[in-house]
């Protein structure tokens, strides 16, 4: 074996220095012995329906719930952002008078309350109309699946 004065350097051609396993394989040591076989696995019964975690109704429920959250959040936050942008960049609009003694900024601030109620009502409506029926269907199917698994 030669002495390497620079052990921190990597070899220029690493394919020449590949590690080779020099120990013999013990499978070929006694060729007259039969190979060791694993015991066969018992057959498994497959469920009639796919597992609930992979169910397409869950994906539909997630997307319906996501749409519901976005719609309600963007309704309330969009109006509030509009109010803030007008306050910051259009103070003349906010200080102008709608009626005698009622500035536009105050009117827009007071309208924020009904817009928030509208966002809540929109959230409730989409929950009852789109999200809850899907959740009820998944809940009923999981109850059927649980009963089926309990009888096995």
């Amino acid at each position: 074996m030669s002495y390497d004065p620079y052990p921190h350097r990597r070899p220029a051609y690493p394919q020449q220095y590949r590690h080779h396993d020099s120990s013999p394989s013990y499978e070929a040591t006694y060729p007259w012995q039969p190979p060791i076989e694993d015991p066969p696995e018992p057959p498994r019964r497959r469920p009639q329906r796919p597992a609930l975690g992979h169910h397409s109704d869950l994906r539909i429920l997630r997307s319906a719930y996501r749409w519901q959250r976005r719609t309600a959040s963007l309704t309330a936050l969009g109006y509030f952002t509009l109010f803030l942008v007008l306050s910051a960049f259009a103070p003349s609009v906010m200080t102008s008078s709608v009626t005698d003694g009622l500035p536009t900024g105050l009117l827009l601030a007071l309208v924020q309350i009904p817009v928030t109620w509208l966002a809540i009502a929109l959230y409730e409506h989409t929950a009852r109309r789109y999200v809850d029926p899907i959740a009820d269907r998944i809940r009923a199917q999981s109850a059927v699946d649980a009963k089926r698994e309990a009888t096995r």
Side-chain angles (χ1 to χ4, degrees), residues 12-144:
Y13 302 101
Q15 66 271 15
Q16 293 176 355
Y17 300 101
R18 288 190 182 142
H19 175 70
H20 294 286
D21 188 13
S22 61
S23 62
S25 173
Y26 288 106
E27 296 171 3
T29 304
Y30 304 106
W32 58 85
Q33 289 182 332
I36 299 172
E37 296 180 10
D38 293 330
E41 292 186 24
R44 295 183 182 179
R45 288 182 55 186
R46 298 197 60 179
Q48 294 175 355
R49 291 179 55 97
L52 190 59
H54 302 289
H55 205 274
S56 65
D57 281 346
L58 286 178
R59 286 190 297 273
I60 294 169
L61 178 65
R62 280 193 300 266
S63 66
Y65 184 60
R66 191 178 308 121
W67 182 85
Q68 175 193 21
R69 284 188 324 238
R70 287 179 185 160
T71 304
S73 299
L74 290 177
T75 301
L77 291 176
Y79 183 81
F80 185 68
T81 303
L82 174 70
F83 177 75
L84 289 178
V85 167
L86 286 175
S87 297
F89 296 109
S92 61
V93 173
M94 298 300 274
T95 57
S96 66
S97 182
V98 175
T99 61
D100 193 29
L102 183 63
T104 307
L106 181 60
L107 180 66
L108 290 176
L110 291 175
V111 170
Q112 180 69 38
I113 295 170
V115 167
T116 305
W117 290 341
L118 175 70
I120 292 170
L122 185 65
Y123 189 85
E124 292 279 330
H125 172 73
T126 56
R128 269 191 239 108
R129 180 149 182 167
Y130 300 108
V131 179
D132 288 348
I134 299 169
D136 291 340
R137 186 172 59 221
I138 291 173
R139 195 175 297 118
Q141 184 61 45
S142 65
V144 169

Side-chain angles (χ1 to χ4, degrees), residues 142-152:
S142 65
V144 169
D145 289 344
K147 286 180 185 176
R148 186 181 299 144
E149 288 295 322
T151 59
R152 286 187 181 177

